[in-house]
Amino acid sequence: RWLSPPVTLPEHEFSGMKIVGELISHLPENSVLHLGNSSAVRYAQLFPLPAGVQKVLCNRGVNGIEGSVSTAAGYAMADPERLHFLIIGDLSIFYDLNGLLAAQQCDNLRILLLNNNEGGIFSTLPGMPDCPHIRAPHGESIMAWGGSNLRSRQVTDAADCPAAMALLLDPEPGAVIVEVCTKTEQDAAMLKLHVVFAVDRAGLVGDDGETHHGIYDVGFLKQVPGMTVLCPVSLNEQMEMLTWAVKEFN
């Protein structure tokens, strides 16, 4: 049962959430939807499920994220008459790389991989700090770890999305994986949550020199929807800005 009301996303916004909504809205009649963990579930429940979808399944491993690919592949093998769609995050799929060996044998399996290079679920939860100790950046693409053995496509911007969606929905036999490469901060911005990023040596940093200059950070951060960029010139100003950002921003 979907607990949240459907959301309306801005046109042409590129994010993991946007792609999940596109896929769910086009799920074919009598198909089966498999969900990974954390972000995959939270994003999926924001969108109305087409009436013709046969069922929704989710595997929960001993520690949470392992086994999702293997479970979907096994289910697809046992139910070859239907198309099976798996929406999964990067950490979940890397914890179950062996599952891709089984997935290759599933002509009716379609995998949508949300790769934001760290999991990033905590960046979208209220009250969670932007702390590197609760993230897992890896810098990897599934294409180098067996993904290219399936019918595959990598998506890095909105222009790639139509072709990727066509591949996911293609009924022709052959397992498919589409890897969508996004940024955690953009996904968080789509949810319009209050998230504070404290960036060391960002902006105009004066005497730190060429090797530590963050002049390009301002331009990068301003591209994030709804982002407010603050750059202090002293410790006192920094504390005032952090206090405002965490407690007073509305």
Side-chain angles (χ1 to χ4, degrees), residues 171-239:
E172 291 299 313
V176 170
I177 185 167
V178 168
E179 180 180 41
V180 181
C181 300
T182 64
K183 294 182 174 62
T184 303
E185 56 267 25
Q186 286 193 322
D187 290 338
M190 291 293 288
L191 287 169
K192 294 182 171 60
L193 296 176
H194 182 192
V195 181
V196 177
F197 295 93
V199 185
D200 183 33
R201 293 188 175 90
L204 305 177
V205 294
D207 295 336
D208 273 359
E210 296 180 359
T211 59
H212 294 82
H213 223 297
I215 189 171
Y216 298 108
D217 293 340
V218 175
F220 164 72
L221 291 170
K222 285 179 70 65
Q223 296 181 51
V224 179
M227 175 71 75
T228 299
V229 180
L230 304 175
C231 188
V233 297
S234 66
L235 179 60
N236 287 338
E237 193 169 278
Q238 174 183 308
M239 297 305 296

Coordinates of all heavy atoms in Angstrom, one line a residue, residues 171-239:
P171 N 10.3 -5.3 -24.5 CA 9.9 -6.6 -24.1 C 10.7 -7.7 -24.7 O 10.5 -8.9 -24.4 CB 8.4 -6.7 -24.6 CG 8.4 -5.7 -25.8 CD 9.4 -4.6 -25.4
E172 N 11.6 -7.4 -25.6 CA 12.4 -8.4 -26.3 C 13.3 -9.1 -25.2 O 13.7 -8.5 -24.2 CB 13.4 -7.7 -27.3 CG 12.6 -7.2 -28.5 CD 11.9 -8.3 -29.3 OE1 12.5 -9.4 -29.5 OE2 10.7 -8.1 -29.6
P173 N 13.5 -10.4 -25.4 CA 14.3 -11.2 -24.5 C 15.7 -10.7 -24.2 O 16.3 -10.2 -25.2 CB 14.3 -12.6 -25.1 CG 13.2 -12.7 -26.0 CD 13.0 -11.3 -26.6
G174 N 16.2 -10.8 -23.0 CA 17.5 -10.4 -22.7 C 17.5 -9.4 -21.5 O 16.8 -8.4 -21.5
A175 N 18.2 -9.8 -20.4 CA 18.3 -9.0 -19.2 C 18.8 -7.6 -19.5 O 19.7 -7.4 -20.3 CB 19.1 -9.7 -18.2
V176 N 18.3 -6.6 -18.8 CA 18.7 -5.2 -19.0 C 19.1 -4.6 -17.7 O 18.5 -4.8 -16.7 CB 17.5 -4.4 -19.6 CG1 17.8 -2.9 -19.6 CG2 17.2 -4.9 -21.0
I177 N 20.1 -3.7 -17.7 CA 20.4 -2.9 -16.6 C 20.7 -1.5 -17.1 O 21.4 -1.2 -18.1 CB 21.7 -3.4 -15.8 CG1 21.9 -2.6 -14.6 CG2 22.9 -3.5 -16.7 CD1 22.9 -3.2 -13.6
V178 N 20.1 -0.5 -16.5 CA 20.3 0.9 -16.7 C 20.8 1.6 -15.5 O 20.2 1.5 -14.4 CB 18.9 1.6 -17.2 CG1 19.1 3.1 -17.2 CG2 18.5 1.1 -18.5
E179 N 22.0 2.1 -15.6 CA 22.6 2.8 -14.4 C 22.4 4.3 -14.5 O 22.9 4.9 -15.5 CB 24.1 2.5 -14.4 CG 24.9 3.1 -13.2 CD 26.3 2.8 -13.2 OE1 27.0 2.7 -14.3 OE2 26.9 2.5 -12.2
V180 N 21.7 4.9 -13.6 CA 21.5 6.3 -13.5 C 22.4 7.0 -12.5 O 22.4 6.7 -11.3 CB 20.0 6.6 -13.1 CG1 19.8 8.1 -13.1 CG2 19.1 5.9 -14.1
C181 N 23.3 7.8 -13.0 CA 24.4 8.4 -12.2 C 23.9 9.8 -11.8 O 23.8 10.7 -12.6 CB 25.7 8.5 -12.9 SG 26.3 6.9 -13.4
T182 N 23.6 10.0 -10.5 CA 23.1 11.3 -10.0 C 24.0 11.7 -8.9 O 25.0 11.1 -8.5 CB 21.7 11.1 -9.5 OG1 21.6 10.2 -8.4 CG2 20.8 10.6 -10.6
K183 N 23.6 12.9 -8.3 CA 24.3 13.5 -7.1 C 23.4 13.5 -6.0 O 22.2 13.9 -6.1 CB 24.8 14.9 -7.4 CG 25.9 14.9 -8.5 CD 26.4 16.3 -8.7 CE 27.6 16.4 -9.7 NZ 27.2 15.9 -11.0
T184 N 23.9 13.1 -4.8 CA 23.0 13.1 -3.6 C 22.4 14.4 -3.3 O 21.2 14.4 -2.9 CB 23.9 12.6 -2.4 OG1 24.5 11.4 -2.6 CG2 23.0 12.5 -1.1
E185 N 23.1 15.5 -3.5 CA 22.6 16.8 -3.1 C 21.4 17.2 -4.0 O 20.5 17.9 -3.6 CB 23.7 17.9 -3.2 CG 24.4 18.0 -4.5 CD 25.6 17.2 -4.5 OE1 25.7 16.2 -3.8 OE2 26.6 17.5 -5.3
Q186 N 21.4 16.7 -5.3 CA 20.3 17.0 -6.2 C 19.1 16.2 -5.8 O 17.9 16.7 -5.8 CB 20.7 16.8 -7.6 CG 21.6 17.8 -8.2 CD 21.7 17.7 -9.7 OE1 21.8 16.7 -10.2 NE2 21.8 18.9 -10.3
D187 N 19.3 14.9 -5.4 CA 18.1 14.1 -5.0 C 17.5 14.7 -3.7 O 16.3 14.7 -3.5 CB 18.6 12.7 -4.7 CG 18.9 12.0 -6.0 OD1 18.4 12.4 -7.0 OD2 19.7 11.0 -5.9
A188 N 18.4 15.2 -2.8 CA 17.9 15.8 -1.6 C 17.1 17.1 -1.9 O 16.1 17.4 -1.3 CB 19.0 16.1 -0.6
A189 N 17.6 17.9 -2.8 CA 16.9 19.1 -3.2 C 15.5 18.8 -3.8 O 14.6 19.6 -3.6 CB 17.8 19.9 -4.2
M190 N 15.4 17.7 -4.5 CA 14.1 17.4 -5.1 C 13.0 17.1 -4.0 O 11.8 17.4 -4.2 CB 14.2 16.1 -6.0 CG 15.0 16.3 -7.2 SD 14.2 17.4 -8.4 CE 12.9 16.4 -8.9
L191 N 13.5 16.6 -2.9 CA 12.6 16.4 -1.7 C 12.3 17.7 -1.0 O 11.4 17.7 -0.1 CB 13.1 15.4 -0.8 CG 13.1 13.9 -1.3 CD1 14.0 13.0 -0.4 CD2 11.7 13.4 -1.4
K192 N 13.0 18.8 -1.3 CA 12.9 20.1 -0.6 C 13.0 19.9 0.9 O 12.3 20.6 1.7 CB 11.5 20.7 -1.0 CG 11.4 21.0 -2.4 CD 10.0 21.7 -2.7 CE 10.0 22.2 -4.1 NZ 10.2 21.2 -5.2
L193 N 14.0 19.1 1.3 CA 14.3 19.0 2.7 C 15.3 20.0 3.1 O 16.1 20.5 2.3 CB 14.8 17.6 3.0 CG 13.9 16.4 2.7 CD1 14.6 15.1 3.0 CD2 12.7 16.5 3.6
H194 N 15.3 20.3 4.4 CA 16.3 21.3 4.9 C 17.6 20.5 5.2 O 17.7 19.8 6.2 CB 15.8 21.9 6.2 CG 16.7 22.9 6.8 ND1 16.5 23.4 8.0 CD2 17.8 23.5 6.3 CE1 17.5 24.3 8.3 NE2 18.3 24.4 7.2
V195 N 18.6 20.6 4.3 CA 19.8 19.9 4.4 C 21.0 21.0 4.4 O 21.0 21.9 3.6 CB 20.1 19.0 3.2 CG1 21.4 18.2 3.4 CG2 18.9 17.9 3.2
V196 N 21.9 20.9 5.3 CA 23.0 21.8 5.4 C 24.3 21.1 5.1 O 24.6 20.1 5.6 CB 23.1 22.4 6.9 CG1 24.4 23.3 7.0 CG2 21.9 23.1 7.3
F197 N 25.0 21.7 4.1 CA 26.3 21.2 3.7 C 27.4 22.1 4.2 O 27.4 23.3 3.8 CB 26.5 21.0 2.1 CG 25.5 20.0 1.5 CD1 24.3 20.4 1.1 CD2 25.9 18.7 1.4 CE1 23.4 19.5 0.5 CE2 25.1 17.8 0.8 CZ 23.8 18.2 0.4
A198 N 28.3 21.6 5.0 CA 29.4 22.5 5.5 C 30.7 22.0 4.7 O 31.2 20.9 4.9 CB 29.6 22.3 7.0
V199 N 31.2 22.8 3.8 CA 32.2 22.5 2.9 C 33.5 23.2 3.3 O 33.6 24.4 3.4 CB 31.9 22.8 1.4 CG1 33.0 22.3 0.5 CG2 30.5 22.3 1.1
D200 N 34.6 22.4 3.6 CA 35.9 22.9 4.0 C 36.6 23.5 2.8 O 36.6 22.9 1.7 CB 36.7 21.8 4.6 CG 38.0 22.3 5.1 OD1 38.1 23.5 5.6 OD2 39.0 21.5 5.1
R201 N 37.3 24.6 2.9 CA 38.0 25.3 1.9 C 37.2 25.5 0.6 O 37.7 25.4 -0.5 CB 39.3 24.5 1.6 CG 40.3 24.5 2.7 CD 41.6 23.8 2.3 NE 42.6 23.9 3.3 CZ 42.8 22.9 4.2 NH1 42.1 21.9 4.2 NH2 43.8 23.0 5.1
A202 N 36.0 25.9 0.8 CA 35.2 26.3 -0.4 C 35.2 27.8 -0.6 O 35.4 28.5 0.3 CB 33.8 25.7 -0.2
G203 N 34.9 28.2 -1.9 CA 34.8 29.6 -2.2 C 36.1 30.3 -2.2 O 37.2 29.6 -2.5
L204 N 36.1 31.6 -2.0 CA 37.4 32.4 -2.1 C 38.1 32.2 -0.7 O 37.7 32.8 0.3 CB 37.0 33.8 -2.4 CG 36.2 34.0 -3.6 CD1 35.8 35.5 -3.8 CD2 36.9 33.5 -4.8
V205 N 39.2 31.5 -0.7 CA 39.8 31.1 0.5 C 41.2 31.8 0.8 O 41.9 31.5 1.7 CB 40.1 29.6 0.6 CG1 38.7 28.9 0.7 CG2 40.8 29.1 -0.6
G206 N 41.5 32.8 0.0 CA 42.6 33.7 0.3 C 44.0 33.0 0.3 O 44.4 32.5 -0.7
D207 N 44.6 33.0 1.4 CA 46.0 32.6 1.6 C 46.2 31.1 1.4 O 47.4 30.6 1.5 CB 46.6 33.1 2.9 CG 46.6 34.6 3.0 OD1 46.7 35.2 1.9 OD2 46.6 35.1 4.1
D208 N 45.2 30.3 1.3 CA 45.4 28.8 1.2 C 46.2 28.4 -0.1 O 46.7 27.3 -0.2 CB 44.1 28.0 1.3 CG 43.7 27.8 2.7 OD1 44.5 28.1 3.6 OD2 42.7 27.1 2.9
G209 N 46.1 29.3 -1.1 CA 46.9 29.0 -2.3 C 46.2 28.2 -3.4 O 45.1 27.8 -3.2
E210 N 47.0 28.0 -4.4 CA 46.4 27.3 -5.6 C 45.9 25.9 -5.4 O 44.9 25.5 -5.9 CB 47.4 27.3 -6.8 CG 47.8 28.7 -7.2 CD 48.9 28.6 -8.4 OE1 49.2 27.5 -8.7 OE2 49.3 29.6 -8.9
T211 N 46.6 25.2 -4.5 CA 46.2 23.8 -4.4 C 45.0 23.6 -3.5 O 44.4 22.5 -3.4 CB 47.4 23.0 -3.7 OG1 47.7 23.6 -2.4 CG2 48.6 23.0 -4.6
H212 N 44.5 24.6 -2.8 CA 43.4 24.5 -1.9 C 42.3 25.5 -2.2 O 41.4 25.7 -1.4 CB 43.8 24.6 -0.4 CG 44.7 23.5 0.1 ND1 46.0 23.5 -0.2 CD2 44.4 22.4 0.7 CE1 46.6 22.4 0.4 NE2 45.6 21.7 0.9
H213 N 42.3 26.0 -3.4 CA 41.3 27.1 -3.8 C 40.0 26.4 -4.2 O 40.0 25.5 -4.9 CB 41.8 27.9 -4.9 CG 41.6 29.4 -4.7 ND1 40.3 29.9 -4.5 CD2 42.4 30.4 -4.5 CE1 40.4 31.2 -4.3 NE2 41.7 31.6 -4.3
G214 N 38.9 27.0 -3.6 CA 37.6 26.4 -3.9 C 36.7 27.4 -4.7 O 35.5 27.4 -4.5
I215 N 37.3 28.1 -5.6 CA 36.6 29.2 -6.3 C 35.5 28.6 -7.1 O 34.4 29.2 -7.3 CB 37.6 30.0 -7.1 CG1 36.8 31.2 -7.7 CG2 38.2 29.2 -8.3 CD1 37.8 32.2 -8.4
Y216 N 35.6 27.3 -7.6 CA 34.6 26.8 -8.5 C 33.4 26.2 -7.7 O 32.4 25.9 -8.2 CB 35.2 25.7 -9.4 CG 36.3 26.2 -10.3 CD1 37.6 25.9 -10.1 CD2 35.9 27.0 -11.4 CE1 38.6 26.4 -10.9 CE2 36.9 27.5 -12.2 CZ 38.2 27.2 -12.0 OH 39.2 27.7 -12.8
D217 N 33.6 26.0 -6.4 CA 32.6 25.4 -5.5 C 31.3 26.2 -5.6 O 30.2 25.7 -5.5 CB 33.0 25.2 -4.1 CG 34.1 24.2 -4.0 OD1 34.3 23.4 -4.9 OD2 34.9 24.2 -3.0
V218 N 31.4 27.6 -5.6 CA 30.3 28.5 -5.5 C 29.4 28.2 -6.8 O 28.2 28.0 -6.7 CB 30.7 29.9 -5.4 CG1 29.5 30.8 -5.5 CG2 31.4 30.2 -4.1
G219 N 30.0 28.2 -8.0 CA 29.3 27.9 -9.2 C 28.7 26.6 -9.2 O 27.5 26.4 -9.7
F220 N 29.4 25.6 -8.7 CA 28.8 24.2 -8.6 C 27.6 24.1 -7.7 O 26.5 23.6 -8.1 CB 29.9 23.2 -8.2 CG 29.4 21.9 -7.7 CD1 28.9 21.0 -8.7 CD2 29.4 21.6 -6.4 CE1 28.4 19.8 -8.3 CE2 28.9 20.3 -6.0 CZ 28.4 19.4 -6.9
L221 N 27.7 24.7 -6.5 CA 26.7 24.6 -5.5 C 25.4 25.4 -5.9 O 24.3 25.0 -5.6 CB 27.2 25.1 -4.2 CG 28.2 24.2 -3.5 CD1 28.8 24.9 -2.3 CD2 27.6 22.8 -3.1
K222 N 25.6 26.5 -6.6 CA 24.5 27.3 -7.0 C 23.6 26.6 -8.1 O 22.5 27.0 -8.4 CB 24.9 28.7 -7.6 CG 25.4 29.6 -6.5 CD 25.9 30.9 -7.0 CE 24.7 31.8 -7.6 NZ 23.8 32.2 -6.5
Q223 N 24.1 25.5 -8.7 CA 23.3 24.8 -9.7 C 22.3 23.9 -9.0 O 21.3 23.4 -9.6 CB 24.2 23.9 -10.6 CG 25.2 24.7 -11.4 CD 26.0 23.8 -12.3 OE1 25.5 22.9 -13.0 NE2 27.3 24.0 -12.2
V224 N 22.5 23.6 -7.7 CA 21.5 22.7 -7.0 C 20.3 23.5 -6.7 O 20.3 24.6 -6.2 CB 22.2 22.3 -5.7 CG1 21.2 21.4 -4.9 CG2 23.5 21.5 -5.9
P225 N 19.1 22.9 -7.1 CA 17.8 23.7 -6.9 C 17.6 24.0 -5.4 O 17.7 23.2 -4.6 CB 16.8 22.7 -7.4 CG 17.5 21.7 -8.3 CD 18.9 21.6 -7.8
G226 N 17.2 25.3 -5.2 CA 16.9 25.7 -3.8 C 18.1 25.9 -2.9 O 17.9 26.2 -1.7
M227 N 19.3 25.9 -3.4 CA 20.5 26.0 -2.6 C 20.8 27.5 -2.3 O 20.7 28.4 -3.1 CB 21.7 25.4 -3.3 CG 23.0 25.6 -2.6 SD 23.2 24.6 -1.1 CE 23.5 23.0 -1.9
T228 N 21.1 27.7 -1.0 CA 21.6 29.1 -0.6 C 23.1 28.9 -0.2 O 23.4 28.0 0.6 CB 20.8 29.6 0.6 OG1 19.4 29.7 0.3 CG2 21.4 30.9 1.1
V229 N 24.0 29.7 -0.8 CA 25.4 29.6 -0.6 C 25.9 30.7 0.3 O 25.6 31.9 0.0 CB 26.2 29.6 -1.9 CG1 27.7 29.5 -1.6 CG2 25.7 28.4 -2.8
L230 N 26.5 30.4 1.4 CA 27.1 31.3 2.4 C 28.6 31.1 2.4 O 29.1 30.0 2.5 CB 26.5 31.2 3.7 CG 24.9 31.2 3.8 CD1 24.5 30.9 5.3 CD2 24.4 32.6 3.4
C231 N 29.4 32.2 2.4 CA 30.8 32.1 2.5 C 31.3 33.1 3.5 O 31.4 34.3 3.3 CB 31.4 32.4 1.1 SG 33.2 32.1 1.0
P232 N 31.7 32.6 4.7 CA 32.1 33.5 5.8 C 33.6 34.0 5.6 O 34.4 33.4 4.9 CB 32.1 32.6 7.0 CG 32.3 31.2 6.5 CD 31.7 31.2 5.1
V233 N 33.9 35.1 6.2 CA 35.2 35.7 6.1 C 35.9 35.6 7.5 O 37.1 36.0 7.6 CB 35.2 37.2 5.7 CG1 34.6 37.3 4.3 CG2 34.4 38.0 6.7
S234 N 35.3 35.1 8.5 CA 35.9 35.0 9.8 C 35.2 33.8 10.6 O 34.1 33.3 10.2 CB 35.8 36.2 10.6 OG 34.4 36.5 10.9
L235 N 35.8 33.4 11.7 CA 35.3 32.3 12.5 C 33.9 32.8 13.1 O 33.0 32.0 13.1 CB 36.2 31.9 13.6 CG 35.8 30.8 14.6 CD1 35.5 29.5 13.8 CD2 36.8 30.6 15.7
N236 N 33.9 34.0 13.6 CA 32.6 34.5 14.1 C 31.5 34.5 13.1 O 30.4 34.1 13.4 CB 32.8 35.9 14.7 CG 33.6 35.9 16.0 OD1 33.7 34.9 16.7 ND2 34.2 37.0 16.3
E237 N 31.8 34.9 11.9 CA 30.8 34.9 10.9 C 30.4 33.5 10.5 O 29.2 33.2 10.2 CB 31.3 35.7 9.6 CG 30.2 36.0 8.6 CD 30.7 37.0 7.6 OE1 30.7 38.2 7.8 OE2 31.1 36.5 6.5
Q238 N 31.4 32.6 10.5 CA 31.1 31.2 10.2 C 30.1 30.6 11.2 O 29.1 30.0 10.8 CB 32.3 30.4 10.2 CG 32.1 28.9 10.1 CD 33.4 28.1 10.1 OE1 34.3 28.4 9.5 NE2 33.4 27.1 11.0
M239 N 30.3 30.9 12.5 CA 29.4 30.4 13.5 C 28.0 31.0 13.4 O 27.0 30.3 13.6 CB 30.0 30.7 14.9 CG 31.3 30.0 15.2 SD 31.2 28.2 15.0 CE 30.0 27.8 16.3

